[in-house]
Coordinates of all heavy atoms in Angstrom, one line a residue:
M263 N -24.1 -18.9 -24.8 CA -24.1 -17.9 -23.8 C -25.4 -17.6 -23.1 O -26.4 -17.5 -23.8 CB -23.5 -16.6 -24.5 CG -22.0 -16.6 -24.5 SD -21.3 -16.8 -22.8 CE -19.6 -16.9 -23.2
W264 N -25.4 -17.3 -21.9 CA -26.7 -17.2 -21.1 C -27.0 -15.8 -20.7 O -28.1 -15.6 -20.1 CB -26.4 -18.0 -19.8 CG -26.7 -19.5 -19.9 CD1 -26.0 -20.3 -20.7 CD2 -27.6 -20.2 -19.1 NE1 -26.4 -21.6 -20.5 CE2 -27.4 -21.6 -19.5 CE3 -28.5 -19.9 -18.1 CZ2 -28.1 -22.6 -18.9 CZ3 -29.2 -20.9 -17.5 CH2 -29.1 -22.2 -17.9
G265 N -26.2 -14.9 -20.8 CA -26.4 -13.6 -20.3 C -26.3 -13.7 -18.8 O -27.3 -13.5 -18.1
R266 N -25.2 -13.9 -18.3 CA -24.9 -14.1 -16.9 C -25.3 -12.9 -16.1 O -25.8 -12.9 -15.0 CB -23.4 -14.5 -16.7 CG -23.1 -15.0 -15.4 CD -21.7 -15.6 -15.4 NE -21.3 -15.9 -14.1 CZ -20.4 -15.2 -13.4 NH1 -19.8 -14.1 -13.9 NH2 -20.1 -15.5 -12.1
S267 N -24.9 -11.7 -16.7 CA -25.2 -10.5 -15.9 C -26.7 -10.3 -15.7 O -27.1 -9.7 -14.7 CB -24.6 -9.3 -16.7 OG -25.1 -9.2 -17.9
Q268 N -27.5 -10.7 -16.7 CA -28.9 -10.5 -16.6 C -29.5 -11.4 -15.4 O -30.3 -11.1 -14.7 CB -29.6 -10.9 -17.9 CG -29.6 -9.7 -18.8 CD -30.4 -9.9 -20.0 OE1 -30.9 -11.0 -20.3 NE2 -30.6 -8.9 -20.8
Q269 N -28.9 -12.6 -15.3 CA -29.4 -13.5 -14.3 C -29.0 -13.0 -12.9 O -29.8 -13.1 -12.0 CB -28.6 -14.9 -14.5 CG -29.3 -15.8 -15.5 CD -29.2 -17.2 -15.0 OE1 -28.2 -17.6 -14.4 NE2 -30.2 -18.0 -15.3
W270 N -27.8 -12.4 -12.8 CA -27.4 -12.0 -11.5 C -27.9 -10.6 -11.2 O -28.0 -10.3 -10.0 CB -25.8 -11.9 -11.5 CG -25.3 -13.3 -11.3 CD1 -24.9 -14.1 -12.3 CD2 -25.1 -14.0 -10.1 NE1 -24.4 -15.3 -11.8 CE2 -24.5 -15.2 -10.5 CE3 -25.3 -13.6 -8.8 CZ2 -24.2 -16.2 -9.5 CZ3 -24.9 -14.6 -7.8 CH2 -24.4 -15.8 -8.2
G271 N -28.2 -9.8 -12.2 CA -28.7 -8.5 -12.0 C -29.6 -8.3 -10.9 O -29.3 -7.6 -9.9
P272 N -30.8 -8.9 -10.9 CA -31.8 -8.6 -9.9 C -31.4 -9.0 -8.5 O -31.8 -8.4 -7.5 CB -33.0 -9.5 -10.4 CG -32.7 -9.8 -11.8 CD -31.2 -9.8 -11.9
M273 N -30.6 -10.0 -8.4 CA -30.2 -10.5 -7.1 C -29.1 -9.6 -6.4 O -29.0 -9.5 -5.2 CB -29.6 -11.9 -7.2 CG -30.6 -12.9 -7.5 SD -29.9 -14.5 -8.0 CE -29.3 -15.1 -6.5
T274 N -28.3 -8.9 -7.3 CA -27.2 -8.2 -6.7 C -27.5 -6.7 -6.5 O -26.6 -6.0 -6.0 CB -25.9 -8.4 -7.5 OG1 -26.2 -8.1 -8.9 CG2 -25.4 -9.8 -7.4
T275 N -28.6 -6.2 -7.0 CA -28.8 -4.8 -7.0 C -28.8 -4.3 -5.5 O -28.4 -3.2 -5.3 CB -30.2 -4.4 -7.6 OG1 -31.1 -5.4 -7.3 CG2 -30.0 -4.3 -9.1
K276 N -29.3 -5.1 -4.6 CA -29.4 -4.6 -3.3 C -28.0 -4.5 -2.6 O -27.7 -3.5 -2.0 CB -30.2 -5.6 -2.4 CG -30.9 -4.9 -1.2 CD -31.6 -5.9 -0.4 CE -31.7 -5.4 1.0 NZ -31.9 -6.5 2.0
E277 N -27.2 -5.5 -2.8 CA -25.9 -5.4 -2.2 C -24.8 -5.3 -3.3 O -23.9 -6.1 -3.4 CB -25.6 -6.7 -1.4 CG -26.5 -6.8 -0.1 CD -26.3 -8.1 0.5 OE1 -25.3 -8.3 1.2 OE2 -27.2 -9.0 0.4
K278 N -24.9 -4.3 -4.0 CA -24.0 -4.0 -5.1 C -22.6 -3.7 -4.5 O -22.5 -2.8 -3.8 CB -24.5 -2.9 -5.9 CG -23.7 -2.6 -7.2 CD -24.4 -1.6 -8.1 CE -23.5 -1.0 -9.1 NZ -23.0 0.3 -8.7
P279 N -21.6 -4.5 -4.9 CA -20.3 -4.1 -4.4 C -19.8 -2.9 -5.1 O -19.6 -2.8 -6.3 CB -19.4 -5.4 -4.8 CG -20.2 -6.1 -5.8 CD -21.6 -5.6 -5.7
E280 N -19.6 -1.9 -4.3 CA -19.3 -0.6 -4.8 C -18.0 -0.5 -5.5 O -17.8 0.2 -6.5 CB -19.3 0.5 -3.7 CG -20.5 0.5 -2.9 CD -21.4 1.6 -3.4 OE1 -20.9 2.7 -3.6 OE2 -22.6 1.4 -3.6
F281 N -17.0 -1.3 -5.0 CA -15.7 -1.1 -5.5 C -15.2 -2.2 -6.5 O -14.1 -2.3 -6.8 CB -14.7 -1.2 -4.3 CG -14.9 -2.3 -3.4 CD1 -14.6 -3.6 -3.7 CD2 -15.6 -2.0 -2.1 CE1 -14.8 -4.6 -2.8 CE2 -15.8 -3.1 -1.3 CZ -15.4 -4.3 -1.6
N282 N -16.2 -2.9 -7.0 CA -15.8 -4.0 -7.9 C -14.9 -3.6 -9.1 O -13.8 -4.0 -9.2 CB -17.0 -4.8 -8.4 CG -16.8 -6.3 -8.2 OD1 -15.8 -6.7 -7.7 ND2 -17.7 -7.1 -8.7
D283 N -15.5 -2.8 -9.9 CA -14.7 -2.4 -11.1 C -14.0 -1.0 -11.0 O -13.0 -0.8 -11.5 CB -15.6 -2.4 -12.4 CG -16.1 -3.8 -12.7 OD1 -15.3 -4.7 -12.5 OD2 -17.3 -3.9 -13.0
E284 N -14.7 -0.2 -10.2 CA -14.2 1.2 -10.2 C -13.1 1.4 -9.2 O -12.4 2.4 -9.3 CB -15.4 2.1 -9.9 CG -16.5 2.1 -11.0 CD -17.9 2.3 -10.4 OE1 -18.0 3.2 -9.6 OE2 -18.7 1.4 -10.7
F285 N -13.1 0.5 -8.2 CA -12.0 0.7 -7.2 C -10.7 0.3 -7.8 O -10.3 -0.9 -7.7 CB -12.4 -0.2 -6.0 CG -11.9 0.4 -4.7 CD1 -12.1 1.7 -4.3 CD2 -11.1 -0.5 -3.9 CE1 -11.6 2.1 -3.1 CE2 -10.6 0.0 -2.7 CZ -10.9 1.3 -2.3
S286 N -10.0 1.2 -8.3 CA -8.7 0.8 -9.0 C -7.6 0.5 -8.0 O -7.8 0.8 -6.8 CB -8.3 1.9 -9.9 OG -7.9 3.1 -9.1
E287 N -6.6 0.0 -8.5 CA -5.4 -0.3 -7.6 C -4.9 1.0 -7.0 O -4.5 1.0 -5.8 CB -4.3 -1.0 -8.5 CG -3.4 -1.8 -7.6 CD -2.4 -2.5 -8.5 OE1 -2.8 -3.0 -9.5 OE2 -1.2 -2.5 -8.1
A288 N -4.8 2.0 -7.8 CA -4.3 3.3 -7.3 C -5.2 3.8 -6.2 O -4.7 4.3 -5.2 CB -4.3 4.3 -8.5
E289 N -6.5 3.7 -6.3 CA -7.4 4.1 -5.2 C -7.2 3.3 -4.0 O -7.2 3.8 -2.9 CB -8.8 4.0 -5.7 CG -9.2 5.3 -6.5 CD -10.6 5.1 -7.1 OE1 -10.9 4.0 -7.5 OE2 -11.3 6.1 -7.2
F290 N -7.0 2.0 -4.2 CA -6.7 1.1 -3.0 C -5.4 1.5 -2.4 O -5.4 1.6 -1.1 CB -6.7 -0.3 -3.5 CG -6.3 -1.2 -2.3 CD1 -7.2 -1.5 -1.3 CD2 -5.0 -1.7 -2.2 CE1 -6.8 -2.3 -0.3 CE2 -4.6 -2.5 -1.2 CZ -5.5 -2.8 -0.2
F291 N -4.5 1.8 -3.2 CA -3.2 2.2 -2.6 C -3.3 3.5 -1.9 O -2.7 3.6 -0.8 CB -2.1 2.3 -3.7 CG -0.7 2.4 -3.3 CD1 -0.1 1.3 -2.6 CD2 0.0 3.6 -3.4 CE1 1.2 1.4 -2.2 CE2 1.3 3.7 -2.9 CZ 1.9 2.6 -2.3
G292 N -4.0 4.4 -2.4 CA -4.2 5.7 -1.8 C -4.9 5.5 -0.4 O -4.6 6.1 0.5
F293 N -5.9 4.6 -0.4 CA -6.6 4.3 0.8 C -5.6 3.7 1.9 O -5.6 4.1 3.0 CB -7.8 3.4 0.6 CG -8.3 2.8 1.8 CD1 -9.2 3.5 2.6 CD2 -8.1 1.5 2.2 CE1 -9.7 3.0 3.8 CE2 -8.6 0.9 3.3 CZ -9.4 1.7 4.1
A294 N -4.9 2.7 1.4 CA -4.0 2.0 2.4 C -3.0 3.0 2.9 O -2.6 3.0 4.0 CB -3.3 0.9 1.6
K295 N -2.6 3.9 2.0 CA -1.6 4.9 2.3 C -2.1 5.8 3.4 O -1.4 6.1 4.4 CB -1.2 5.7 1.1 CG 0.1 6.4 1.1 CD 0.5 6.8 -0.3 CE 1.3 8.1 -0.2 NZ 1.6 8.6 -1.6
S296 N -3.3 6.4 3.2 CA -3.8 7.3 4.2 C -4.1 6.6 5.5 O -4.0 7.1 6.6 CB -5.0 8.0 3.7 OG -6.0 7.1 3.4
Y297 N -4.5 5.3 5.4 CA -4.8 4.5 6.6 C -3.5 4.2 7.4 O -3.4 4.5 8.6 CB -5.5 3.2 6.2 CG -5.6 2.2 7.4 CD1 -6.6 2.5 8.3 CD2 -4.8 1.1 7.4 CE1 -6.7 1.6 9.4 CE2 -5.0 0.2 8.5 CZ -5.9 0.5 9.5 OH -6.1 -0.4 10.5
L298 N -2.5 3.7 6.7 CA -1.3 3.3 7.3 C -0.5 4.5 7.9 O 0.2 4.4 8.8 CB -0.4 2.5 6.4 CG -0.9 1.1 6.1 CD1 0.0 0.5 5.0 CD2 -0.8 0.2 7.3
S299 N -0.7 5.6 7.2 CA 0.1 6.8 7.7 C -0.4 7.3 9.0 O 0.3 8.2 9.6 CB 0.1 7.9 6.6 OG -1.2 8.4 6.5
E300 N -1.6 6.9 9.5 CA -2.1 7.4 10.7 C -2.4 6.3 11.7 O -2.6 6.6 12.9 CB -3.3 8.2 10.5 CG -3.0 9.5 9.7 CD -4.2 10.3 9.4 OE1 -5.3 9.9 9.8 OE2 -4.1 11.4 8.8
A301 N -2.6 5.1 11.2 CA -3.2 4.1 12.1 C -2.3 3.6 13.2 O -2.7 3.1 14.2 CB -3.6 2.9 11.2
F302 N -1.0 3.7 13.0 CA 0.0 3.1 14.0 C 1.0 4.2 14.4 O 2.2 4.1 14.1 CB 0.7 1.9 13.3 CG -0.2 0.9 12.8 CD1 -0.5 0.9 11.4 CD2 -0.9 0.0 13.6 CE1 -1.4 -0.1 10.9 CE2 -1.8 -0.9 13.1 CZ -2.0 -1.0 11.7
P303 N 0.6 5.1 15.2 CA 1.5 6.1 15.8 C 2.6 5.4 16.6 O 2.2 4.4 17.3 CB 0.7 7.0 16.6 CG -0.6 6.3 16.9 CD -0.8 5.3 15.8
N304 N 3.8 5.8 16.5 CA 4.9 5.1 17.2 C 5.9 6.2 17.6 O 7.0 6.2 17.1 CB 5.5 4.0 16.3 CG 6.5 3.2 17.1 OD1 6.8 3.4 18.3 ND2 7.2 2.4 16.4
P305 N 5.4 7.1 18.5 CA 6.3 8.3 18.8 C 7.6 7.9 19.3 O 8.6 8.7 19.1 CB 5.4 9.1 19.8 CG 4.4 8.1 20.3 CD 4.2 7.1 19.2
Q306 N 7.7 6.8 20.0 CA 9.1 6.4 20.5 C 9.9 5.6 19.5 O 11.0 5.2 19.8 CB 8.9 5.6 21.8 CG 7.7 6.0 22.6 CD 8.0 6.6 24.0 OE1 8.4 5.8 24.8 NE2 8.0 7.9 24.1
R307 N 9.3 5.3 18.4 CA 9.9 4.6 17.3 C 10.5 3.3 17.9 O 11.7 2.9 17.7 CB 11.1 5.4 16.7 CG 10.6 6.8 16.2 CD 9.6 6.7 15.2 NE 10.0 6.1 14.0 CZ 10.5 6.7 12.9 NH1 10.7 8.0 12.9 NH2 10.9 6.1 11.8
V308 N 9.6 2.5 18.5 CA 10.0 1.3 19.1 C 10.2 0.2 18.0 O 9.3 0.0 17.2 CB 9.0 0.8 20.1 CG1 9.3 -0.6 20.7 CG2 8.8 1.8 21.3
G309 N 11.3 -0.4 18.0 CA 11.5 -1.5 17.0 C 11.7 -1.1 15.6 O 11.6 -1.9 14.7
C310 N 12.0 0.2 15.4 CA 12.2 0.7 14.0 C 13.5 0.4 13.4 O 14.5 0.5 14.1 CB 12.0 2.2 14.0 SG 10.3 2.7 14.5
P311 N 13.5 0.0 12.2 CA 14.8 -0.1 11.5 C 15.4 1.2 11.2 O 14.7 2.2 11.2 CB 14.4 -0.8 10.2 CG 13.0 -0.4 9.9 CD 12.4 -0.2 11.3
P312 N 16.8 1.3 11.1 CA 17.4 2.6 10.8 C 17.0 3.1 9.5 O 16.6 2.4 8.6 CB 18.9 2.2 10.9 CG 19.0 0.7 10.6 CD 17.7 0.2 11.2
D313 N 17.2 4.4 9.4 CA 16.8 5.1 8.1 C 17.5 4.5 6.9 O 16.9 4.3 5.8 CB 17.1 6.6 8.2 CG 16.4 7.4 7.2 OD1 15.2 7.6 7.3 OD2 17.0 7.8 6.2
S314 N 18.8 4.1 7.1 CA 19.6 3.6 6.0 C 18.9 2.3 5.5 O 19.0 2.0 4.3 CB 21.0 3.3 6.5 OG 21.0 2.4 7.6
E315 N 18.3 1.5 6.4 CA 17.7 0.3 6.0 C 16.5 0.6 5.1 O 16.2 -0.1 4.1 CB 17.3 -0.5 7.2 CG 17.1 -2.0 6.8 CD 17.0 -2.9 8.1 OE1 17.8 -2.6 9.0 OE2 16.1 -3.8 8.1
L316 N 15.7 1.6 5.5 CA 14.6 2.0 4.7 C 15.0 2.4 3.3 O 14.4 2.1 2.3 CB 13.8 3.1 5.4 CG 13.1 2.7 6.7 CD1 12.4 3.9 7.3 CD2 12.1 1.5 6.6
Q317 N 16.1 3.2 3.3 CA 16.6 3.7 2.0 C 17.0 2.5 1.1 O 16.6 2.5 0.0 CB 17.9 4.5 2.3 CG 17.6 5.8 3.1 CD 17.6 7.0 2.1 OE1 17.5 6.9 0.9 NE2 17.6 8.2 2.7
R318 N 17.7 1.6 1.7 CA 18.2 0.5 1.0 C 17.1 -0.4 0.4 O 17.1 -0.8 -0.7 CB 19.1 -0.4 1.9 CG 20.0 -1.4 1.1 CD 20.6 -2.4 2.1 NE 19.5 -3.0 2.9 CZ 19.7 -3.7 4.0 NH1 20.9 -3.9 4.4 NH2 18.7 -4.3 4.6
M319 N 16.1 -0.5 1.3 CA 14.9 -1.3 0.9 C 14.2 -0.7 -0.3 O 13.6 -1.3 -1.1 CB 14.0 -1.5 2.1 CG 13.0 -2.5 2.0 SD 12.2 -2.9 3.6 CE 10.9 -1.7 3.5
A320 N 14.1 0.7 -0.2 CA 13.4 1.4 -1.3 C 14.2 1.3 -2.6 O 13.6 1.2 -3.7 CB 13.2 2.8 -0.9
E321 N 15.5 1.4 -2.5 CA 16.3 1.4 -3.7 C 16.5 0.0 -4.3 O 16.5 -0.2 -5.5 CB 17.7 2.0 -3.4 CG 17.6 3.5 -3.3 CD 18.9 4.2 -2.8 OE1 20.0 3.6 -3.1 OE2 18.8 5.1 -2.0
Q322 N 16.8 -0.9 -3.4 CA 17.1 -2.3 -3.9 C 16.4 -3.3 -3.0 O 17.0 -3.9 -2.2 CB 18.6 -2.6 -3.9 CG 19.3 -1.7 -4.9 CD 20.8 -1.9 -4.7 OE1 21.3 -1.8 -3.6 NE2 21.5 -2.0 -5.8
P323 N 15.1 -3.4 -3.2 CA 14.3 -4.3 -2.4 C 14.7 -5.8 -2.6 O 14.8 -6.2 -3.8 CB 12.8 -4.1 -2.8 CG 12.9 -3.4 -4.1 CD 14.2 -2.7 -4.2
V324 N 14.9 -6.5 -1.6 CA 15.2 -7.9 -1.6 C 14.2 -8.6 -0.7 O 14.3 -8.4 0.5 CB 16.6 -8.3 -1.2 CG1 16.8 -9.8 -1.2 CG2 17.6 -7.6 -2.1
E325 N 13.3 -9.3 -1.2 CA 12.1 -9.8 -0.5 C 12.5 -10.5 0.8 O 12.0 -10.2 1.9 CB 11.3 -10.7 -1.3 CG 9.8 -10.6 -1.0 CD 8.9 -11.3 -2.0 OE1 9.0 -11.1 -3.2 OE2 8.2 -12.2 -1.5
T326 N 13.4 -11.5 0.7 CA 13.8 -12.3 1.8 C 14.5 -11.5 2.9 O 14.2 -11.6 4.1 CB 14.7 -13.5 1.4 OG1 15.7 -13.0 0.5 CG2 13.9 -14.5 0.7
R327 N 15.4 -10.6 2.4 CA 16.2 -9.8 3.4 C 15.3 -8.8 4.1 O 15.5 -8.5 5.3 CB 17.3 -9.2 2.7 CG 18.3 -8.5 3.6 CD 19.3 -7.6 2.7 NE 18.5 -6.6 2.1 CZ 19.0 -5.8 1.0 NH1 20.2 -6.1 0.6 NH2 18.2 -4.9 0.5
D328 N 14.4 -8.2 3.3 CA 13.6 -7.1 3.8 C 12.3 -7.4 4.4 O 11.5 -6.6 4.8 CB 13.4 -6.0 2.7 CG 14.7 -5.5 2.2 OD1 15.6 -5.3 3.0 OD2 14.8 -5.2 1.0
A329 N 12.0 -8.7 4.6 CA 10.7 -9.2 5.0 C 10.4 -8.5 6.4 O 9.3 -8.0 6.5 CB 10.7 -10.7 5.2
A330 N 11.3 -8.6 7.3 CA 11.0 -8.0 8.7 C 10.7 -6.5 8.6 O 9.8 -6.0 9.2 CB 12.1 -8.3 9.6
A331 N 11.6 -5.8 7.9 CA 11.4 -4.4 7.8 C 10.1 -4.0 7.1 O 9.4 -3.1 7.5 CB 12.6 -3.7 7.1
S332 N 9.8 -4.7 6.0 CA 8.6 -4.4 5.3 C 7.3 -4.7 6.1 O 6.3 -4.1 6.0 CB 8.6 -5.0 3.9 OG 8.4 -6.4 4.0
Q333 N 7.4 -5.8 6.9 CA 6.3 -6.0 7.8 C 6.2 -4.9 8.8 O 5.1 -4.5 9.2 CB 6.6 -7.4 8.5 CG 6.0 -8.5 7.8 CD 5.6 -9.6 8.8 OE1 6.0 -9.6 9.9 NE2 4.8 -10.6 8.3
H334 N 7.3 -4.5 9.3 CA 7.3 -3.4 10.3 C 6.6 -2.2 9.7 O 5.8 -1.5 10.4 CB 8.7 -3.0 10.6 CG 8.8 -1.9 11.6 ND1 8.7 -2.0 12.9 CD2 9.0 -0.6 11.3 CE1 8.8 -0.8 13.5 NE2 9.0 0.1 12.6
L335 N 6.7 -1.9 8.4 CA 6.1 -0.7 7.8 C 4.6 -0.8 7.9 O 3.9 0.2 7.9 CB 6.5 -0.7 6.3 CG 7.9 -0.3 6.0 CD1 8.1 -0.2 4.5 CD2 8.3 1.0 6.6
T336 N 4.1 -2.0 7.9 CA 2.6 -2.1 7.9 C 2.1 -2.0 9.4 O 0.9 -2.0 9.6 CB 2.1 -3.5 7.4 OG1 2.6 -4.5 8.2 CG2 2.6 -3.7 6.0
R337 N 3.0 -1.8 10.3 CA 2.6 -1.6 11.7 C 3.1 -0.4 12.4 O 3.1 -0.2 13.6 CB 3.1 -2.9 12.5 CG 2.3 -4.1 12.3 CD 2.8 -5.2 13.2 NE 3.5 -6.2 12.5 CZ 4.7 -6.6 12.7 NH1 5.4 -6.0 13.6 NH2 5.3 -7.6 12.0
C338 N 3.8 0.5 11.6 CA 4.4 1.6 12.2 C 4.2 2.8 11.2 O 4.8 2.8 10.1 CB 5.9 1.3 12.4 SG 6.8 2.7 13.0
S339 N 3.4 3.8 11.6 CA 3.1 4.9 10.7 C 4.3 5.8 10.4 O 4.5 6.1 9.3 CB 2.0 5.7 11.3 OG 0.8 4.9 11.2
P340 N 5.1 6.1 11.4 CA 6.3 7.0 11.1 C 7.2 6.3 10.1 O 7.7 7.0 9.2 CB 7.0 7.1 12.5 CG 6.0 6.7 13.5 CD 5.0 5.9 12.9
C341 N 7.5 5.0 10.2 CA 8.3 4.3 9.2 C 7.7 4.3 7.9 O 8.3 4.5 6.8 CB 8.7 2.9 9.7 SG 10.0 2.9 11.0
F342 N 6.4 4.0 7.9 CA 5.7 3.9 6.6 C 5.7 5.3 5.9 O 6.0 5.3 4.7 CB 4.2 3.5 6.9 CG 3.4 3.5 5.6 CD1 3.4 2.4 4.8 CD2 2.5 4.6 5.3 CE1 2.7 2.4 3.6 CE2 1.8 4.6 4.2 CZ 1.8 3.5 3.3
N343 N 5.5 6.3 6.6 CA 5.6 7.7 6.0 C 7.0 8.0 5.5 O 7.1 8.6 4.4 CB 5.1 8.7 7.0 CG 3.7 8.7 7.3 OD1 2.9 8.3 6.4 ND2 3.3 9.1 8.5
R344 N 8.0 7.6 6.3 CA 9.3 7.8 5.9 C 9.6 7.0 4.6 O 10.3 7.5 3.7 CB 10.3 7.4 7.0 CG 11.7 7.5 6.7 CD 12.2 8.9 6.5 NE 13.5 9.0 6.0 CZ 14.0 9.8 5.0 NH1 13.1 10.6 4.4 NH2 15.2 9.7 4.6
Y345 N 9.2 5.8 4.6 CA 9.4 5.0 3.4 C 8.8 5.5 2.2 O 9.3 5.6 1.1 CB 8.9 3.5 3.7 CG 9.2 2.5 2.6 CD1 10.5 2.2 2.3 CD2 8.2 2.0 1.9 CE1 10.8 1.2 1.4 CE2 8.4 1.0 0.9 CZ 9.7 0.7 0.6 OH 10.0 -0.2 -0.4
M346 N 7.5 6.0 2.3 CA 6.8 6.6 1.2 C 7.6 7.9 0.7 O 7.6 8.1 -0.5 CB 5.4 7.1 1.6 CG 4.4 5.9 1.8 SD 4.1 5.2 0.2 CE 4.4 3.4 0.6
E347 N 8.2 8.6 1.6 CA 8.9 9.8 1.3 C 10.2 9.4 0.5 O 10.5 10.0 -0.5 CB 9.4 10.4 2.6 CG 9.7 11.9 2.5 CD 10.1 12.4 3.9 OE1 9.2 12.5 4.8 OE2 11.3 12.5 4.2
I348 N 10.8 8.3 0.9 CA 12.0 7.9 0.2 C 11.6 7.4 -1.2 O 12.3 7.8 -2.2 CB 12.7 6.7 1.0 CG1 13.2 7.2 2.3 CG2 13.8 6.1 0.2 CD1 13.7 6.1 3.3
L349 N 10.5 6.7 -1.3 CA 10.1 6.2 -2.6 C 9.8 7.4 -3.5 O 10.1 7.4 -4.7 CB 8.8 5.3 -2.5 CG 9.0 3.9 -2.0 CD1 7.7 3.2 -2.1 CD2 10.0 3.2 -3.0
A350 N 9.1 8.4 -3.0 CA 8.8 9.6 -3.8 C 10.0 10.3 -4.3 O 10.1 10.7 -5.4 CB 7.9 10.5 -3.0
N351 N 11.0 10.4 -3.4 CA 12.3 11.0 -3.8 C 13.0 10.2 -4.9 O 13.5 10.8 -5.8 CB 13.2 11.1 -2.6 CG 12.8 12.2 -1.6 OD1 12.1 13.1 -2.0 ND2 13.2 12.1 -0.4
L352 N 13.0 8.9 -4.7 CA 13.6 8.0 -5.7 C 12.9 8.2 -7.1 O 13.5 8.3 -8.1 CB 13.4 6.5 -5.3 CG 14.4 6.0 -4.4 CD1 14.1 4.5 -4.1 CD2 15.8 6.1 -4.9
R353 N 11.6 8.3 -7.0 CA 10.8 8.4 -8.3 C 11.1 9.7 -8.9 O 11.2 9.8 -10.1 CB 9.3 8.3 -8.0 CG 8.6 7.3 -8.9 CD 7.2 7.1 -8.5 NE 7.1 6.3 -7.3 CZ 6.2 6.3 -6.3 NH1 5.2 7.2 -6.4 NH2 6.2 5.5 -5.3
R354 N 11.2 10.8 -8.1 CA 11.5 12.1 -8.6 C 12.9 12.1 -9.3 O 13.1 12.6 -10.3 CB 11.5 13.1 -7.5 CG 10.6 14.3 -7.9 CD 10.4 15.2 -6.7 NE 9.6 14.6 -5.7 CZ 9.7 14.8 -4.4 NH1 10.8 15.4 -3.9 NH2 8.9 14.2 -3.5
R355 N 13.8 11.4 -8.6 CA 15.2 11.3 -9.2 C 15.2 10.6 -10.5 O 15.8 11.0 -11.4 CB 16.1 10.6 -8.2 CG 17.2 11.5 -7.7 CD 18.2 10.7 -6.9 NE 17.7 10.3 -5.6 CZ 18.3 9.3 -4.9 NH1 19.3 8.6 -5.3 NH2 17.7 9.0 -3.7
K356 N 14.4 9.5 -10.5 CA 14.4 8.7 -11.8 C 13.7 9.5 -12.9 O 14.2 9.5 -14.0 CB 13.6 7.4 -11.6 CG 14.5 6.3 -11.1 CD 13.7 5.0 -11.0 CE 14.6 4.0 -10.2 NZ 13.7 3.0 -9.6
A357 N 12.6 10.2 -12.5 CA 11.9 11.0 -13.5 C 12.8 12.1 -14.1 O 12.7 12.5 -15.2 CB 10.7 11.7 -12.9
A358 N 13.8 12.6 -13.2 CA 14.7 13.6 -13.7 C 15.8 13.1 -14.5 O 16.6 13.8 -15.0 CB 15.2 14.4 -12.5
G359 N 15.9 11.7 -14.6 CA 16.9 11.1 -15.4 C 18.2 11.0 -14.8 O 19.3 11.1 -15.5
Q360 N 18.3 10.9 -13.5 CA 19.6 10.8 -12.8 C 19.8 9.5 -12.1 O 18.9 9.0 -11.6 CB 19.7 11.9 -11.8 CG 20.0 13.3 -12.4 CD 19.8 14.4 -11.4 OE1 19.9 14.2 -10.2 NE2 19.7 15.6 -11.9
Ligands
ZN267 ZN1 8.9 2.1 12.8

């Protein structure tokens, strides 16, 4: 063993990646969430899947079938927010044991 961290230490202090270990998945998700919830306003709801489709996707996601809709979520803030809301409701229902 060479002490890899000691070798790299002096070189990386200047450009230390802030999020390497501490940037958890939850934090990343939180970031993506706040970003996506505002980045793509779509007041006319152009190209949006119906609410029932978002519900179905949240309850029983099927990757191949939902590919288009889930892609849409990454480009449409209103749908993304709605989907998050549905997921939160589902989680609450599950937590309540129903
Ligand atoms: Zn949409």
Side-chain angles (χ1 to χ4, degrees):
M263 275 307 176
W264 277 58
R266 193 165 172 256
S267 60
Q268 279 188 346
Q269 275 216 327
W270 283 93
M273 288 166 77
T274 51
T275 38
K276 205 183 155 203
E277 289 174 78
K278 186 169 162 260
E280 302 267 311
F281 47 76
N282 229 1
D283 295 322
E284 296 145 50
F285 207 55
S286 69
E287 204 179 317
E289 277 170 326
F290 173 76
F291 192 69
F293 167 76
K295 202 167 148 184
S296 60
Y297 172 73
L298 287 172
S299 66
E300 293 178 1
F302 306 101
N304 186 3
Q306 324 244 287
R307 307 298 298 267
V308 177
C310 293
D313 198 73
S314 59
E315 197 167 320
L316 295 179
Q317 295 259 13
R318 194 193 57 191
M319 196 167 90
E321 282 171 37
Q322 295 169 314
V324 177
E325 213 174 303
T326 46
R327 188 194 62 197
D328 298 326
S332 70
Q333 268 211 346
H334 177 85
L335 291 183
T336 66
R337 279 185 256 122
C338 177
S339 293
C341 282
F342 177 79
N343 287 331
R344 176 65 188 137
Y345 184 66
M346 285 295 131
E347 201 178 286
I348 295 168
L349 280 184
N351 285 340
L352 279 179
R353 228 172 288 150
R354 228 172 292 142
R355 242 189 288 160
K356 271 186 195 154
Q360 282 171 17

